[in-house]
Amino acid sequence: MTQTNRQLVLRARPKGLLAQGDLQLAEAAIPSPAEGQVLARVKYLSIDPTMRVWMATDSYLPAVGIGEVMRAAGLAEVVESRTKEFKKGDKVVGLTGLQDYCVIDTANKAARFQKVPPIPFISDTAFLGVLGLTGLTAYFGMMEIAKPQKGETLVVSAAAGATGSIAGQIGRIHGCRVVGIAGGAEKCKWLTEELGFDAAIDYKAADWKAKLAEATPKGVDINYENVGGEIMNAVLERMNLHGRVVLCGFISGYTKAEPEVLSAGLLIVKRLKVQGLLVLDYLDRFMEAATQLGKWKMFGKLKDRETIVEGLEKAPEAINMLFTGGNIGKTIVKVS
Ligand SMILES: NC(=O)c1ccc[n+]([C@@H]2O[C@H](COP(=O)([O-])OP(=O)(O)OC[C@H]3O[C@@H](n4cnc5c(N)ncnc54)[C@H](OP(=O)(O)O)[C@@H]3O)[C@@H](O)[C@H]2O)c1
């Protein structure tokens, strides 16, 4: 048990990728929980593209203030409890922040802590990935918005990432032709050879738009969009009339100052149904999604992969990996 609480504090709003010093390591005393509170030791941190948004601007949550501990989801183990809701040794997921220890105030529902059920053969880190927010995002985006039908063509961008890899497999489970878009041969090979995607397009190759057309001979019925910009516009060009677009994320724009350019006219011409998705809207259905995802995983229908970075101090590098494509599957920091 470390004697101090190491914390990554936001010192400056990044421009582009995170630069040295935007997040700075600081040390504080380990807090003592008051009545109704819990002290928990953070074991794993979920590294998410939205953290870059939280550093920059108000969005669906307020921007993190300068001088505050950086907001992050994580998995923590209770070390001291002054509430009946949690006991010592319980594992919980919620907004722990980038730090060694966090205090959970059971009255503060905004921190969204939930107990992790002990399930045989399921690792703790799965509750940050395939059974955590990114798995849930893929599940609700596909099941509630895309509603995939057998024989339809689904295109997923950032397909080798945490959300995209699960969204594509859910489409495959429902009998879709699944085409993933990802950066580089290694990721494309993983998608087709391991995850059962029908085709994978390396958007870093010069002829990728021609390859996308070849891979979608009957057009595209569903676009699960994680990237935005040029990639989204190329997929919109391939959409069939009355297709569905799940707007999950626009990662290509998060490190840029200027807004993304969207070929919005195509939405009209192709009479597309476009819906934005925010996973937090579905948190009360966590168990439903986690149970289904868990069953698919246990029966070998759903595969997941994690990129684990060791050390709290490496979190800024891990965040940047999401924007340079250094990760495959879910990116997690092992705190100590
Ligand atoms: N709406 C919600 O509730 C919600 C919840 C969770 C996540 N999301 C969104 O889902 C998306 C994926 O998030 P994730 O956590 O699963 O991350 P991730 O996909 O595991 O990692 C991000 C991936 O994006 C790709 N990427 C980064 N910059 C790119 C660019 N300029 N052009 C093309 N691809 C780029 C990289 O892969 P390549 O090597 O293939 O480039 C990288 O591996 C993000 O847009 C995120 O904001 C939304």
Side-chain angles (χ1 to χ4, degrees), residues 48-50 134 137 158 161-164 182-183 187 203-204 226-227 231 248-252 254 277-279 322-323 325 327 329:
D48 296 289
T50 195
T134 47
T137 304
T163 309
K187 291 187 179 187
Y203 73 89
K204 291 182 176 166
N226 287 318
V227 172
I231 288 182
C248 178
F250 282 167
I251 195 167
S252 66
Y254 298 171
L277 163 73
L278 189 61
V279 68
L322 299 174
F323 299 95
N327 67 310

Side-chain angles (χ1 to χ4, degrees), residues 4 56 58 60 81 102 110 127 137 153 175-176 232 247 258 299:
T4 55
D58 292 337
Y60 58 95
S81 177
C102 66
F127 290 95
T137 304
T153 299
C176 292
M232 177 167 176
L247 293 184
E258 64 280 4
F299 290 118

